[in-house]
Amino acid sequence: MLTIGKLAAETGVKVPTVRYYEQIGLLPPPERSSGNQRLYGRGARQRLAFIRHARELGFPLEAIRDLLSLSDRPDLPCSAADAIAKAQLGAVQARIARLKALEQELQRMVVQCAHGTIADCRVIEILGDHGQCAHDHDAIPVVVD
Amino acid sequence: MLTIGKLAAETGVKVPTVRYYEQIGLLPPPERSSGNQRLYGRGARQRLAFIRHARELGFPLEAIRDLLSLSDRPDLPCSAADAIAKAQLGAVQARIARLKALEQELQRMVVQCAHGTIADCRVIEILGDHGQCAHDHDAIPVVVD
DNA sequence: CTAATGTCTCTAGTAGCTATAGCTTCAAGA
DNA sequence: TCTTGAAGCTATAGCTACTAGAGACATTAG
């Protein structure tokens, strides 16, 4: 049996994150030691590794919840799992396309900067005037990593 | 003078978002009508358009705050603005690179799915076992748009 | 004048954690 | 055996950038 710290170290998930996953019902409440500390077995380890890997691939927690409940029913057809993965692939591809357009625009801005004063800085100027852009870029991507 | 609704419509920003920008100090508190409604002039319009455009390009609000205060000092050298733009460009490029690796991995998963049952679904199997992956993909990109 | 729409403030919620406070438990060394 | 430090516990609040809702007031079209 593993303590939460060992489980976290083995799966590469942080300790508070493990507790968070339990809280939102992604991980079942584990056994407790006599001193009320969480003790995890092999099943929990596998389940957490699954979650972690899916998160690395960008699946949202709700999708992971669905995938987990699917994986508990080996007899079902896998079309649902396939659909979730395809949706995630589509989302990733869309994000790549959008980010590439942004990259172009930013590169234009940076290249045109003559390193003079703010007064004639292309960066500031282009930001203030969307009309100078090559593309529409109406979707606003989130910048958190 | 524009009401908040007109300002929002003209700049493509939603009304609550305008109030939010005021609350966090990105927009200065505007004049008020006799009935306590916000009234905006040309300056506010330009400033909001600047913010909106920078958000479209993925700049975080803190970077925008810096860019705005730079744009108020036309005599300064524009190296600071340039640096902010370059940082954003770098962030976008890094995100693209990561997403491309994810795309590969997801595509492998989806292609290998034989559309049988969950029991032998490659999607579920690969998710459960990171060892089957071609690359490391340790950074977890956020999937919000 | 009335009805519809717009605006006001304030609070709470979203995703997916992360950080903090104040406490208890555990494992190893003297 | 005692002690000290690390690890664990719960609960709450904070992060980004908004978005949604409640309940009250303002404005405008007909």
Side-chain angles (χ1 to χ4, degrees), chain B residues 43-109:
Chain B
R45 220 207 83 126
Q46 267 193 21
R47 197 174 173 91
L48 183 54
F50 184 103
I51 296 169
R52 145 102 176 168
H53 194 191
R55 284 297 297 136
E56 284 170 352
L57 289 170
F59 286 87
L61 289 182
E62 276 320 295
I64 296 174
R65 200 187 290 278
D66 294 344
L67 287 168
L68 279 169
S69 70
L70 285 174
S71 77
D72 289 340
R73 284 157 224 246
D75 50 311
L76 289 187
C78 79
S79 49
D82 189 51
I84 294 172
K86 275 187 178 142
Q88 172 62 10
L89 177 57
V92 166
Q93 286 170 338
R95 270 152 49 79
I96 289 172
R98 250 202 342 264
L99 285 172
K100 277 188 179 165
L102 298 194
E103 188 196 7
Q104 299 265 317
E105 214 64 67
L106 287 165
Q107 206 131 42
R108 273 191 348 117
M109 267 175 46

Side-chain angles (χ1 to χ4, degrees), chain A residues 128-142:
Chain A
D129 180 6
H130 181 103
Q132 305 199 17
C133 283
H135 316 284
D136 272 1
H137 36 68
D138 12 56
I140 300 182
V142 171

Side-chain angles (χ1 to χ4, degrees), chain B residues 8-141:
Chain B
E10 283 197 14
T11 54
V13 176
K14 287 179 192 149
V15 168
T17 305
V18 176
R19 288 195 278 249
Y20 170 70
Y21 287 161
E22 178 184 333
Q23 185 192 311
I24 64 170
L26 269 192
L27 287 176
E31 294 176 45
R32 298 287 183 132
S33 73
S34 58
N36 196 37
Q37 302 196 344
R38 291 170 177 82
L39 291 179
Y40 296 92
R42 185 160 328 190
R45 220 207 83 126
Q46 267 193 21
R47 197 174 173 91
L48 183 54
F50 184 103
I51 296 169
R52 145 102 176 168
H53 194 191
R55 284 297 297 136
E56 284 170 352
L57 289 170
F59 286 87
L61 289 182
E62 276 320 295
I64 296 174
R65 200 187 290 278
D66 294 344
L67 287 168
L68 279 169
S69 70
L70 285 174
S71 77
D72 289 340
R73 284 157 224 246
D75 50 311
L76 289 187
C78 79
S79 49
D82 189 51
I84 294 172
K86 275 187 178 142
Q88 172 62 10
L89 177 57
V92 166
Q93 286 170 338
R95 270 152 49 79
I96 289 172
R98 250 202 342 264
L99 285 172
K100 277 188 179 165
L102 298 194
E103 188 196 7
Q104 299 265 317
E105 214 64 67
L106 287 165
Q107 206 131 42
R108 273 191 348 117
M109 267 175 46
V110 166
V111 164
Q112 289 183 25
C113 174
H115 308 291
T117 61
I118 293 280
D120 35 41
C121 179
R122 294 290 292 159
V123 170
I124 298 288
E125 190 184 335
I126 293 178
L127 282 176
D129 180 8
H130 181 101
Q132 307 200 14
C133 283
H135 316 283
D136 270 1
H137 36 67
D138 14 55
I140 301 182

Side-chain angles (χ1 to χ4, degrees), chain A residues 41-60:
Chain A
R42 186 162 321 196
R45 219 207 86 126
Q46 268 194 18
R47 197 176 173 91
L48 183 55
F50 184 103
I51 296 171
R52 145 103 175 169
H53 195 191
R55 284 296 299 135
E56 284 171 351
L57 289 170
F59 287 87

Side-chain angles (χ1 to χ4, degrees), chain A residues 116-138:
Chain A
T117 62
I118 293 281
D120 36 40
C121 179
R122 296 288 292 158
V123 170
I124 298 288
E125 191 185 335
I126 293 178
L127 282 176
D129 180 6
H130 181 103
Q132 305 199 17
C133 283
H135 316 284
D136 272 1
H137 36 68
D138 12 56

Side-chain angles (χ1 to χ4, degrees), chain A residues 17-29 47 51 61-62 64-66 68-69 72:
Chain A
T17 306
V18 177
R19 288 195 278 248
Y20 170 70
Y21 287 162
E22 178 184 331
Q23 186 192 309
I24 64 170
L26 268 192
L27 286 177
R47 197 176 173 91
I51 296 171
L61 290 181
E62 276 319 296
I64 296 175
R65 201 187 288 279
D66 294 345
L68 280 169
S69 70
D72 289 340

